[in-house]
Amino acid sequence: MDDFFSPVSGMDLPRFAGIPTFMRLPHVPPGHDRFADVDIGLVGVPWDSGTTNRPGPRHGPRQLRDASTMIRAMNGVTRVRPFAAARCADLGDVGPNPADIADSMARISAFYDSLVTAGIRPLTAGGDHLTSLPVLRALGKAVPLGMIHFDSHTDLWDSYFNGQKYTHGTPFRRAVEEGLLDPARIVQIGIRGTMYDTSDRDFASAVGIRIIEMEECAARGWDDVMAEARAIAGDGPTYVSYDIDFVDPAFAPGTGTPEVGGPNSREALAVVRALQGLDIVGADLVEVSPPFDASGGTAYLGVSILFELLCVMAASRASR
Ligand code: MN
Ligand code: MN
């Protein structure tokens, strides 16, 4: 592998030293002379204008970069070495317009359009969950994608607050309506918590989205659930969207809309490993909110999930 794309080792420079890029990878923003050589690009989207309750994910990418200096080169379970299997880089942040949701989404989609053109598969650190919609507007433009979605919420609501269509509770309803996702290849995993009504579930039923609620996950076990998830996504291009509130708030309190009764941190990582073999064209980890992450533990779990996502993306790319 090209040495340029090797992360800085903790054996060469202590982990607490240096400027913290994602996983200590080189910073290769658009326009850099190595940009076209990148296979998998880590991108920060510091934006939370879609948040309906407790804000803060705009601070996520910076906190996640800092925590990610703890990540080493090899997966301790699968022995995958993602930085050897693919050329990975930190592409920097997309600068949003914090005063204008539509302008922010246009800026984010334009950035991801450039990645599609360059053949770079993105791994995104959000941002709230509305971030996924402008990303999908770029990645799902040519052909509707399947999606594996880990969350305690479906994010399939129609609107909030007097008809507002663009919040972190609505991105996947919009993505289906816009033809960016193939509803027959969507599975939502870990859904739980109190509800306003059943209109999100009604929409899912109408278009054929499979929801595996947390109680069903607990009853069946993760191996069985993830086998079904892989079958639903199939062989086609698939997006993975991971809301940190999928994880029980005992393990991930640093998020805006926590729901109790969820997976522990070990299960949170194992479900990602179960995605091995899918054609993952992009992935995100969203809703890490540093102001509610007093211990920093949510950010550390977040970067550990990002590393697992990177491992399955790199391994599946290497096998194709
Ligand atoms: Mn969500
Ligand atoms: Mn959620």
Side-chain angles (χ1 to χ4, degrees), residues 226-257:
M226 294 312 298
E228 182 187 352
R230 284 194 302 273
I232 290 168
D235 293 330
T238 299
Y239 192 74
V240 181
S241 194
Y242 199 126
D243 185 328
I244 193 72
D245 72 32
F246 168 72
V247 187
D248 192 279
F251 300 89
T255 194
T257 319

PDB file of all heavy atoms in Angstrom, residues 226-257:
ATOM      1  N   MET A 226     -29.457 -10.263  11.844  1.00  0.00           N
ATOM      2  CA  MET A 226     -28.533  -9.727  10.836  1.00  0.00           C
ATOM      3  C   MET A 226     -28.517 -10.597   9.574  1.00  0.00           C
ATOM      4  O   MET A 226     -28.257 -10.093   8.480  1.00  0.00           O
ATOM      5  CB  MET A 226     -27.134  -9.560  11.423  1.00  0.00           C
ATOM      6  CG  MET A 226     -27.047  -8.491  12.516  1.00  0.00           C
ATOM      7  SD  MET A 226     -27.833  -6.902  12.092  1.00  0.00           S
ATOM      8  CE  MET A 226     -26.845  -6.429  10.669  1.00  0.00           C
ATOM      9  N   ALA A 227     -28.803 -11.881   9.718  1.00  0.00           N
ATOM     10  CA  ALA A 227     -28.940 -12.714   8.518  1.00  0.00           C
ATOM     11  C   ALA A 227     -30.124 -12.235   7.683  1.00  0.00           C
ATOM     12  O   ALA A 227     -30.038 -12.149   6.445  1.00  0.00           O
ATOM     13  CB  ALA A 227     -29.109 -14.178   8.920  1.00  0.00           C
ATOM     14  N   GLU A 228     -31.227 -11.910   8.338  1.00  0.00           N
ATOM     15  CA  GLU A 228     -32.372 -11.366   7.598  1.00  0.00           C
ATOM     16  C   GLU A 228     -32.019 -10.019   6.966  1.00  0.00           C
ATOM     17  O   GLU A 228     -32.389  -9.749   5.805  1.00  0.00           O
ATOM     18  CB  GLU A 228     -33.590 -11.204   8.522  1.00  0.00           C
ATOM     19  CG  GLU A 228     -34.801 -10.675   7.757  1.00  0.00           C
ATOM     20  CD  GLU A 228     -36.008 -10.336   8.636  1.00  0.00           C
ATOM     21  OE1 GLU A 228     -35.992 -10.633   9.839  1.00  0.00           O
ATOM     22  OE2 GLU A 228     -36.959  -9.742   8.067  1.00  0.00           O
ATOM     23  N   ALA A 229     -31.299  -9.190   7.706  1.00  0.00           N
ATOM     24  CA  ALA A 229     -30.919  -7.865   7.180  1.00  0.00           C
ATOM     25  C   ALA A 229     -30.069  -8.005   5.916  1.00  0.00           C
ATOM     26  O   ALA A 229     -30.290  -7.296   4.928  1.00  0.00           O
ATOM     27  CB  ALA A 229     -30.164  -7.077   8.252  1.00  0.00           C
ATOM     28  N   ARG A 230     -29.115  -8.920   5.937  1.00  0.00           N
ATOM     29  CA  ARG A 230     -28.261  -9.128   4.750  1.00  0.00           C
ATOM     30  C   ARG A 230     -29.103  -9.600   3.563  1.00  0.00           C
ATOM     31  O   ARG A 230     -28.881  -9.186   2.424  1.00  0.00           O
ATOM     32  CB  ARG A 230     -27.153 -10.145   5.045  1.00  0.00           C
ATOM     33  CG  ARG A 230     -26.015  -9.611   5.888  1.00  0.00           C
ATOM     34  CD  ARG A 230     -24.815 -10.558   5.858  1.00  0.00           C
ATOM     35  NE  ARG A 230     -25.156 -11.894   6.328  1.00  0.00           N
ATOM     36  CZ  ARG A 230     -25.140 -12.286   7.605  1.00  0.00           C
ATOM     37  NH1 ARG A 230     -24.782 -11.433   8.551  1.00  0.00           N
ATOM     38  NH2 ARG A 230     -25.473 -13.516   7.936  1.00  0.00           N
ATOM     39  N   ALA A 231     -30.069 -10.459   3.839  1.00  0.00           N
ATOM     40  CA  ALA A 231     -30.918 -10.970   2.758  1.00  0.00           C
ATOM     41  C   ALA A 231     -31.771  -9.850   2.160  1.00  0.00           C
ATOM     42  O   ALA A 231     -31.983  -9.811   0.937  1.00  0.00           O
ATOM     43  CB  ALA A 231     -31.797 -12.098   3.290  1.00  0.00           C
ATOM     44  N   ILE A 232     -32.247  -8.941   2.992  1.00  0.00           N
ATOM     45  CA  ILE A 232     -33.066  -7.823   2.498  1.00  0.00           C
ATOM     46  C   ILE A 232     -32.222  -6.889   1.627  1.00  0.00           C
ATOM     47  O   ILE A 232     -32.651  -6.464   0.554  1.00  0.00           O
ATOM     48  CB  ILE A 232     -33.709  -7.055   3.675  1.00  0.00           C
ATOM     49  CG1 ILE A 232     -34.783  -7.928   4.340  1.00  0.00           C
ATOM     50  CG2 ILE A 232     -34.302  -5.723   3.211  1.00  0.00           C
ATOM     51  CD1 ILE A 232     -35.282  -7.402   5.679  1.00  0.00           C
ATOM     52  N   ALA A 233     -31.018  -6.585   2.067  1.00  0.00           N
ATOM     53  CA  ALA A 233     -30.152  -5.686   1.284  1.00  0.00           C
ATOM     54  C   ALA A 233     -29.675  -6.374   0.007  1.00  0.00           C
ATOM     55  O   ALA A 233     -29.544  -5.734  -1.039  1.00  0.00           O
ATOM     56  CB  ALA A 233     -28.963  -5.235   2.127  1.00  0.00           C
ATOM     57  N   GLY A 234     -29.401  -7.659   0.093  1.00  0.00           N
ATOM     58  CA  GLY A 234     -29.023  -8.422  -1.093  1.00  0.00           C
ATOM     59  C   GLY A 234     -27.673  -8.011  -1.665  1.00  0.00           C
ATOM     60  O   GLY A 234     -26.807  -7.501  -0.957  1.00  0.00           O
ATOM     61  N   ASP A 235     -27.515  -8.236  -2.969  1.00  0.00           N
ATOM     62  CA  ASP A 235     -26.221  -8.003  -3.620  1.00  0.00           C
ATOM     63  C   ASP A 235     -26.066  -6.593  -4.175  1.00  0.00           C
ATOM     64  O   ASP A 235     -25.009  -6.211  -4.638  1.00  0.00           O
ATOM     65  CB  ASP A 235     -26.041  -8.991  -4.794  1.00  0.00           C
ATOM     66  CG  ASP A 235     -25.918 -10.425  -4.298  1.00  0.00           C
ATOM     67  OD1 ASP A 235     -25.420 -10.606  -3.169  1.00  0.00           O
ATOM     68  OD2 ASP A 235     -26.341 -11.332  -5.034  1.00  0.00           O
ATOM     69  N   GLY A 236     -27.128  -5.830  -4.197  1.00  0.00           N
ATOM     70  CA  GLY A 236     -27.083  -4.507  -4.829  1.00  0.00           C
ATOM     71  C   GLY A 236     -26.358  -3.480  -3.966  1.00  0.00           C
ATOM     72  O   GLY A 236     -26.021  -3.737  -2.803  1.00  0.00           O
ATOM     73  N   PRO A 237     -26.140  -2.284  -4.531  1.00  0.00           N
ATOM     74  CA  PRO A 237     -25.484  -1.214  -3.775  1.00  0.00           C
ATOM     75  C   PRO A 237     -26.302  -0.826  -2.547  1.00  0.00           C
ATOM     76  O   PRO A 237     -27.514  -0.643  -2.627  1.00  0.00           O
ATOM     77  CB  PRO A 237     -25.388  -0.067  -4.780  1.00  0.00           C
ATOM     78  CG  PRO A 237     -26.413  -0.356  -5.826  1.00  0.00           C
ATOM     79  CD  PRO A 237     -26.525  -1.851  -5.899  1.00  0.00           C
ATOM     80  N   THR A 238     -25.612  -0.727  -1.424  1.00  0.00           N
ATOM     81  CA  THR A 238     -26.288  -0.561  -0.130  1.00  0.00           C
ATOM     82  C   THR A 238     -25.622   0.531   0.683  1.00  0.00           C
ATOM     83  O   THR A 238     -24.394   0.629   0.723  1.00  0.00           O
ATOM     84  CB  THR A 238     -26.245  -1.894   0.642  1.00  0.00           C
ATOM     85  OG1 THR A 238     -26.938  -2.885  -0.122  1.00  0.00           O
ATOM     86  CG2 THR A 238     -26.883  -1.773   2.015  1.00  0.00           C
ATOM     87  N   TYR A 239     -26.447   1.347   1.315  1.00  0.00           N
ATOM     88  CA  TYR A 239     -25.978   2.383   2.238  1.00  0.00           C
ATOM     89  C   TYR A 239     -26.200   1.888   3.666  1.00  0.00           C
ATOM     90  O   TYR A 239     -27.174   1.174   3.928  1.00  0.00           O
ATOM     91  CB  TYR A 239     -26.768   3.677   2.000  1.00  0.00           C
ATOM     92  CG  TYR A 239     -26.191   4.884   2.694  1.00  0.00           C
ATOM     93  CD1 TYR A 239     -25.032   5.500   2.225  1.00  0.00           C
ATOM     94  CD2 TYR A 239     -26.807   5.413   3.822  1.00  0.00           C
ATOM     95  CE1 TYR A 239     -24.493   6.614   2.859  1.00  0.00           C
ATOM     96  CE2 TYR A 239     -26.274   6.529   4.469  1.00  0.00           C
ATOM     97  CZ  TYR A 239     -25.117   7.126   3.976  1.00  0.00           C
ATOM     98  OH  TYR A 239     -24.598   8.226   4.617  1.00  0.00           O
ATOM     99  N   VAL A 240     -25.299   2.250   4.574  1.00  0.00           N
ATOM    100  CA  VAL A 240     -25.459   1.914   5.990  1.00  0.00           C
ATOM    101  C   VAL A 240     -25.560   3.215   6.770  1.00  0.00           C
ATOM    102  O   VAL A 240     -24.658   4.062   6.684  1.00  0.00           O
ATOM    103  CB  VAL A 240     -24.277   1.076   6.513  1.00  0.00           C
ATOM    104  CG1 VAL A 240     -24.500   0.734   7.990  1.00  0.00           C
ATOM    105  CG2 VAL A 240     -24.101  -0.198   5.692  1.00  0.00           C
ATOM    106  N   SER A 241     -26.661   3.382   7.486  1.00  0.00           N
ATOM    107  CA  SER A 241     -26.837   4.575   8.301  1.00  0.00           C
ATOM    108  C   SER A 241     -26.975   4.157   9.761  1.00  0.00           C
ATOM    109  O   SER A 241     -27.838   3.347  10.104  1.00  0.00           O
ATOM    110  CB  SER A 241     -28.070   5.367   7.854  1.00  0.00           C
ATOM    111  OG  SER A 241     -28.036   6.662   8.436  1.00  0.00           O
ATOM    112  N   TYR A 242     -26.098   4.713  10.595  1.00  0.00           N
ATOM    113  CA  TYR A 242     -26.001   4.270  11.987  1.00  0.00           C
ATOM    114  C   TYR A 242     -26.194   5.474  12.899  1.00  0.00           C
ATOM    115  O   TYR A 242     -25.328   6.335  12.994  1.00  0.00           O
ATOM    116  CB  TYR A 242     -24.629   3.635  12.217  1.00  0.00           C
ATOM    117  CG  TYR A 242     -24.522   2.738  13.439  1.00  0.00           C
ATOM    118  CD1 TYR A 242     -24.052   1.434  13.316  1.00  0.00           C
ATOM    119  CD2 TYR A 242     -24.869   3.181  14.715  1.00  0.00           C
ATOM    120  CE1 TYR A 242     -23.934   0.593  14.418  1.00  0.00           C
ATOM    121  CE2 TYR A 242     -24.754   2.355  15.818  1.00  0.00           C
ATOM    122  CZ  TYR A 242     -24.284   1.062  15.670  1.00  0.00           C
ATOM    123  OH  TYR A 242     -24.172   0.241  16.767  1.00  0.00           O
ATOM    124  N   ASP A 243     -27.350   5.524  13.557  1.00  0.00           N
ATOM    125  CA  ASP A 243     -27.642   6.557  14.556  1.00  0.00           C
ATOM    126  C   ASP A 243     -27.139   6.025  15.899  1.00  0.00           C
ATOM    127  O   ASP A 243     -27.530   4.929  16.321  1.00  0.00           O
ATOM    128  CB  ASP A 243     -29.168   6.788  14.573  1.00  0.00           C
ATOM    129  CG  ASP A 243     -29.618   7.915  15.489  1.00  0.00           C
ATOM    130  OD1 ASP A 243     -28.984   8.142  16.527  1.00  0.00           O
ATOM    131  OD2 ASP A 243     -30.646   8.539  15.155  1.00  0.00           O
ATOM    132  N   ILE A 244     -26.294   6.811  16.582  1.00  0.00           N
ATOM    133  CA  ILE A 244     -25.701   6.339  17.836  1.00  0.00           C
ATOM    134  C   ILE A 244     -26.780   6.038  18.880  1.00  0.00           C
ATOM    135  O   ILE A 244     -26.551   5.256  19.809  1.00  0.00           O
ATOM    136  CB  ILE A 244     -24.665   7.364  18.367  1.00  0.00           C
ATOM    137  CG1 ILE A 244     -23.795   6.787  19.474  1.00  0.00           C
ATOM    138  CG2 ILE A 244     -25.355   8.647  18.852  1.00  0.00           C
ATOM    139  CD1 ILE A 244     -22.778   5.773  19.062  1.00  0.00           C
ATOM    140  N   ASP A 245     -28.008   6.596  18.703  1.00  0.00           N
ATOM    141  CA  ASP A 245     -29.053   6.299  19.694  1.00  0.00           C
ATOM    142  C   ASP A 245     -29.650   4.899  19.508  1.00  0.00           C
ATOM    143  O   ASP A 245     -30.508   4.490  20.305  1.00  0.00           O
ATOM    144  CB  ASP A 245     -30.118   7.400  19.769  1.00  0.00           C
ATOM    145  CG  ASP A 245     -31.067   7.468  18.578  1.00  0.00           C
ATOM    146  OD1 ASP A 245     -31.372   6.427  17.960  1.00  0.00           O
ATOM    147  OD2 ASP A 245     -31.531   8.595  18.279  1.00  0.00           O
ATOM    148  N   PHE A 246     -29.163   4.147  18.504  1.00  0.00           N
ATOM    149  CA  PHE A 246     -29.429   2.707  18.437  1.00  0.00           C
ATOM    150  C   PHE A 246     -28.938   2.034  19.722  1.00  0.00           C
ATOM    151  O   PHE A 246     -29.557   1.091  20.223  1.00  0.00           O
ATOM    152  CB  PHE A 246     -28.691   2.127  17.220  1.00  0.00           C
ATOM    153  CG  PHE A 246     -28.618   0.623  17.137  1.00  0.00           C
ATOM    154  CD1 PHE A 246     -29.741  -0.145  16.839  1.00  0.00           C
ATOM    155  CD2 PHE A 246     -27.403  -0.041  17.337  1.00  0.00           C
ATOM    156  CE1 PHE A 246     -29.657  -1.526  16.743  1.00  0.00           C
ATOM    157  CE2 PHE A 246     -27.315  -1.417  17.240  1.00  0.00           C
ATOM    158  CZ  PHE A 246     -28.444  -2.167  16.947  1.00  0.00           C
ATOM    159  N   VAL A 247     -27.829   2.532  20.245  1.00  0.00           N
ATOM    160  CA  VAL A 247     -27.195   1.926  21.415  1.00  0.00           C
ATOM    161  C   VAL A 247     -27.894   2.420  22.681  1.00  0.00           C
ATOM    162  O   VAL A 247     -28.355   3.572  22.755  1.00  0.00           O
ATOM    163  CB  VAL A 247     -25.693   2.312  21.458  1.00  0.00           C
ATOM    164  CG1 VAL A 247     -24.973   1.544  22.566  1.00  0.00           C
ATOM    165  CG2 VAL A 247     -25.036   2.069  20.109  1.00  0.00           C
ATOM    166  N   ASP A 248     -27.974   1.572  23.679  1.00  0.00           N
ATOM    167  CA  ASP A 248     -28.600   1.959  24.944  1.00  0.00           C
ATOM    168  C   ASP A 248     -27.890   3.181  25.535  1.00  0.00           C
ATOM    169  O   ASP A 248     -26.657   3.244  25.515  1.00  0.00           O
ATOM    170  CB  ASP A 248     -28.533   0.789  25.925  1.00  0.00           C
ATOM    171  CG  ASP A 248     -29.430   1.043  27.131  1.00  0.00           C
ATOM    172  OD1 ASP A 248     -29.003   1.784  28.057  1.00  0.00           O
ATOM    173  OD2 ASP A 248     -30.563   0.524  27.134  1.00  0.00           O
ATOM    174  N   PRO A 249     -28.656   4.147  26.075  1.00  0.00           N
ATOM    175  CA  PRO A 249     -28.016   5.351  26.626  1.00  0.00           C
ATOM    176  C   PRO A 249     -27.128   5.079  27.843  1.00  0.00           C
ATOM    177  O   PRO A 249     -26.353   5.961  28.238  1.00  0.00           O
ATOM    178  CB  PRO A 249     -29.194   6.266  26.964  1.00  0.00           C
ATOM    179  CG  PRO A 249     -30.406   5.406  26.933  1.00  0.00           C
ATOM    180  CD  PRO A 249     -30.109   4.255  26.023  1.00  0.00           C
ATOM    181  N   ALA A 250     -27.206   3.876  28.421  1.00  0.00           N
ATOM    182  CA  ALA A 250     -26.221   3.538  29.456  1.00  0.00           C
ATOM    183  C   ALA A 250     -24.816   3.526  28.866  1.00  0.00           C
ATOM    184  O   ALA A 250     -23.834   3.806  29.555  1.00  0.00           O
ATOM    185  CB  ALA A 250     -26.546   2.170  30.071  1.00  0.00           C
ATOM    186  N   PHE A 251     -24.721   3.207  27.570  1.00  0.00           N
ATOM    187  CA  PHE A 251     -23.429   3.101  26.885  1.00  0.00           C
ATOM    188  C   PHE A 251     -23.159   4.308  25.994  1.00  0.00           C
ATOM    189  O   PHE A 251     -22.008   4.550  25.637  1.00  0.00           O
ATOM    190  CB  PHE A 251     -23.379   1.822  26.030  1.00  0.00           C
ATOM    191  CG  PHE A 251     -23.557   0.582  26.833  1.00  0.00           C
ATOM    192  CD1 PHE A 251     -24.825   0.059  27.068  1.00  0.00           C
ATOM    193  CD2 PHE A 251     -22.468  -0.062  27.399  1.00  0.00           C
ATOM    194  CE1 PHE A 251     -25.000  -1.076  27.827  1.00  0.00           C
ATOM    195  CE2 PHE A 251     -22.630  -1.200  28.163  1.00  0.00           C
ATOM    196  CZ  PHE A 251     -23.911  -1.722  28.384  1.00  0.00           C
ATOM    197  N   ALA A 252     -24.212   4.985  25.563  1.00  0.00           N
ATOM    198  CA  ALA A 252     -24.063   6.118  24.641  1.00  0.00           C
ATOM    199  C   ALA A 252     -25.016   7.244  25.052  1.00  0.00           C
ATOM    200  O   ALA A 252     -25.980   7.542  24.354  1.00  0.00           O
ATOM    201  CB  ALA A 252     -24.343   5.676  23.204  1.00  0.00           C
ATOM    202  N   PRO A 253     -24.731   7.881  26.182  1.00  0.00           N
ATOM    203  CA  PRO A 253     -25.626   8.950  26.657  1.00  0.00           C
ATOM    204  C   PRO A 253     -25.506  10.245  25.854  1.00  0.00           C
ATOM    205  O   PRO A 253     -26.406  11.077  25.915  1.00  0.00           O
ATOM    206  CB  PRO A 253     -25.166   9.162  28.100  1.00  0.00           C
ATOM    207  CG  PRO A 253     -23.723   8.768  28.095  1.00  0.00           C
ATOM    208  CD  PRO A 253     -23.629   7.627  27.119  1.00  0.00           C
ATOM    209  N   GLY A 254     -24.415  10.395  25.114  1.00  0.00           N
ATOM    210  CA  GLY A 254     -24.150  11.664  24.445  1.00  0.00           C
ATOM    211  C   GLY A 254     -24.878  11.795  23.128  1.00  0.00           C
ATOM    212  O   GLY A 254     -24.266  11.826  22.059  1.00  0.00           O
ATOM    213  N   THR A 255     -26.206  11.888  23.199  1.00  0.00           N
ATOM    214  CA  THR A 255     -27.018  12.014  22.003  1.00  0.00           C
ATOM    215  C   THR A 255     -28.313  12.730  22.360  1.00  0.00           C
ATOM    216  O   THR A 255     -28.695  12.776  23.543  1.00  0.00           O
ATOM    217  CB  THR A 255     -27.273  10.617  21.377  1.00  0.00           C
ATOM    218  OG1 THR A 255     -27.784  10.771  20.054  1.00  0.00           O
ATOM    219  CG2 THR A 255     -28.223   9.788  22.225  1.00  0.00           C
ATOM    220  N   GLY A 256     -29.005  13.264  21.357  1.00  0.00           N
ATOM    221  CA  GLY A 256     -30.121  14.157  21.625  1.00  0.00           C
ATOM    222  C   GLY A 256     -31.424  13.486  21.987  1.00  0.00           C
ATOM    223  O   GLY A 256     -32.254  14.049  22.691  1.00  0.00           O
ATOM    224  N   THR A 257     -31.658  12.269  21.484  1.00  0.00           N
ATOM    225  CA  THR A 257     -32.948  11.597  21.660  1.00  0.00           C
ATOM    226  C   THR A 257     -32.730  10.171  22.154  1.00  0.00           C
ATOM    227  O   THR A 257     -33.004   9.204  21.441  1.00  0.00           O
ATOM    228  CB  THR A 257     -33.733  11.584  20.324  1.00  0.00           C
ATOM    229  OG1 THR A 257     -33.580  12.842  19.662  1.00  0.00           O
ATOM    230  CG2 THR A 257     -35.211  11.329  20.568  1.00  0.00           C
TER     231      THR A 257
END
